[in-house]
Amino acid sequence: MTAKISRRDLLKLSGLAAGGLALGLGAPRNVVAGSDNSRHGGDPSQRNSYFDSLKPYIPGSEALDPDEMRISFLGTSCIPSLSQAAVSVFVELGNGECFMFDCGTGVTPKYFALGVTLDKMSKIFLAHNHSDHMGDLPYVYAFGQSFGRVWPLYVWGPTRSGFVWKDPDGKYPLGKKPLEDGVADICAALKKFCIWHTESQSFMYTSINSYDVPKPWDTTGSRCKDAYDIVVKELHWRNTGKNSQGLANQDNVAYHDRSKGVKITHFPAVHCREGAVSYKLEWNGLSMIYSGDTKPNQYMMRRQKPVRI
Ligand SMILES: [Zn+2]
């Protein structure tokens, strides 16, 4: 007799597989026989069919227990299509907290399908500023207020890359100084990009007097309160949490809510050029590493070990 295993138990057992996806290590090879591998010439080793064996997930049908963390992949492709959005991972904690990692093109309908509305899409951690990681920011920012987010949008992401075009002829206008390509630059441009929208919608409530920016999020001291504010925390992409002598200095803490035991740190990603980061979220003895895009690196490997927070 075969023991019945629920979908949730299967997902827990497959935590290593999901971790592989989160780490960008690639999905495991085929572990379930009998699925359609015709697209791959019938070679079962070329397709992961494990998740085919799971029943469809119905949003709202699986309540999160207080000690659980749920990680949902809303999109994982750099080329969005009708069935697949660009990049975003949603992390929900049993204490009610939730976090977005990246906000790529086309992910908003996926969030809505999951039953997650824009008021819950308030805390966004960007791995880097490729369009497939931030393409839905204009909608999430500008329409958040219409979905009840009467507080600022909070965005974490890398500082400027420091990149300067090599321009021997001196003709390229951006060749004189480092690119203004940090997350604060991106968010300032986003506010300008959306100005027609935000002004035309400003007859509606955009803030509440009783709202006070939670301390772990108030990274600027500006005490922004309005839905059309963006509170940005820039993270220096070189920081690793250690100084040049190898001693811990906590310079890579992106977010730390001690009252709820949630800590998110960052570390360098190896991707295209300087200025990309990966994240590690720790809570309740659980942890999740989100690479964004990266090649395998020692920063990531070391952080697979649990850290006391
Ligand atoms: Zn990228």
Side-chain angles (χ1 to χ4, degrees), residues 6 21 35 51 59 70 79 85 89 92 96-97 116 119 122 131 163 195 217 246 262 267 281 299:
S6 71
L21 288 170
S35 60
F51 290 97
R70 178 159 53 211
I79 304 174
V89 168
E92 299 164 272
E97 294 288 297
V116 179
D119 55 322
S122 292
S131 170
F163 182 81
I195 191 68
W217 312 358
V262 185
F267 50 95
L281 183 154
Y299 301 118

Side-chain angles (χ1 to χ4, degrees), residues 33-290:
S35 60
D36 176 18
N37 293 301
S38 57
R39 286 189 300 143
H40 308 280
D43 180 352
S45 70
Q46 296 304 304
R47 181 168 179 268
N48 172 27
S49 57
Y50 172 71
F51 290 97
D52 291 353
S53 66
L54 303 177
K55 292 178 181 174
Y57 173 68
I58 300 172
S61 63
E62 294 180 2
L64 203 58
D65 286 342
D67 61 344
E68 290 184 323
M69 175 190 297
R70 178 159 53 211
I71 303 170
S72 301
F73 291 76
L74 281 298
T76 57
S77 171
C78 66
I79 304 174
S81 65
L82 286 176
S83 60
Q84 174 65 287
V87 185
S88 187
V89 168
F90 189 54
V91 179
E92 299 164 272
L93 308 182
N95 65 6
E97 294 288 297
C98 53
F99 305 88
M100 284 177 70
F101 290 87
D102 283 329
C103 185
T105 308
V107 300
T108 308
K110 306 295 184 186
Y111 275 87
F112 288 174
L114 200 60
V116 179
T117 47
L118 296 181
D119 55 322
K120 293 188 173 64
M121 299 161 68
S122 292
K123 292 175 283 191
I124 305 175
F125 293 75
L126 298 178
H128 57 279
N129 298 326
H130 270 152
S131 170
D132 58 321
H133 291 248
M134 60 176 191
D136 265 19
L137 274 182
Y139 188 89
V140 172
Y141 162 64
F143 259 116
Q145 169 264 352
S146 302
F147 283 81
R149 180 179 58 73
V150 285
W151 53 86
L153 184 68
Y154 298 89
V155 181
W156 289 255
T159 51
R160 293 179 178 179
S161 66
F163 182 81
V164 182
W165 277 99
K166 300 291 182 290
D167 183 21
D169 298 330
K171 293 177 181 173
Y172 190 69
L174 296 177
K176 309 289 185 193
K177 58 182 182 179
L179 293 181
E180 296 175 354
D181 58 357
V183 70
D185 300 306
I186 301 297
C187 290
L190 176 63
K191 290 180 73 171
K192 288 184 181 176
F193 183 76
C194 295
I195 191 68
W196 199 98
H197 178 110
T198 54
E199 283 302 308
S200 69
Q201 294 288 311
S202 58
F203 65 91
M204 298 169 70
Y205 290 112
T206 59
S207 63
I208 47 176
N209 287 333
S210 59
Y211 180 77
D212 208 9
V213 180
K215 280 205 162 48
W217 312 358
D218 185 15
T219 54
T220 64
S222 63
R223 313 307 293 173
C224 296
K225 286 190 169 190
D226 194 272
Y228 293 142
D229 286 324
I230 305 177
V231 177
V232 183
K233 181 170 184 179
E234 286 202 312
L235 313 170
H236 202 296
W237 50 268
R238 284 189 191 278
N239 291 355
T240 62
K242 291 184 178 178
N243 64 19
S244 56
Q245 283 78 48
L247 302 173
N249 62 6
Q250 300 285 311
D251 67 357
N252 68 334
V253 177
Y255 178 100
H256 196 180
D257 188 341
R258 287 181 171 80
S259 66
K260 295 179 179 171
V262 185
K263 188 175 185 179
I264 300 175
T265 51
H266 62 97
F267 50 95
V270 183
H271 181 53
C272 285
R273 67 163 49 151
E274 293 177 325
V277 301
S278 302
Y279 293 100
K280 180 173 185 177
L281 183 154
E282 296 164 84
W283 169 74
N284 191 36
L286 304 171
S287 66
M288 185 234 34
I289 291 177
Y290 176 69

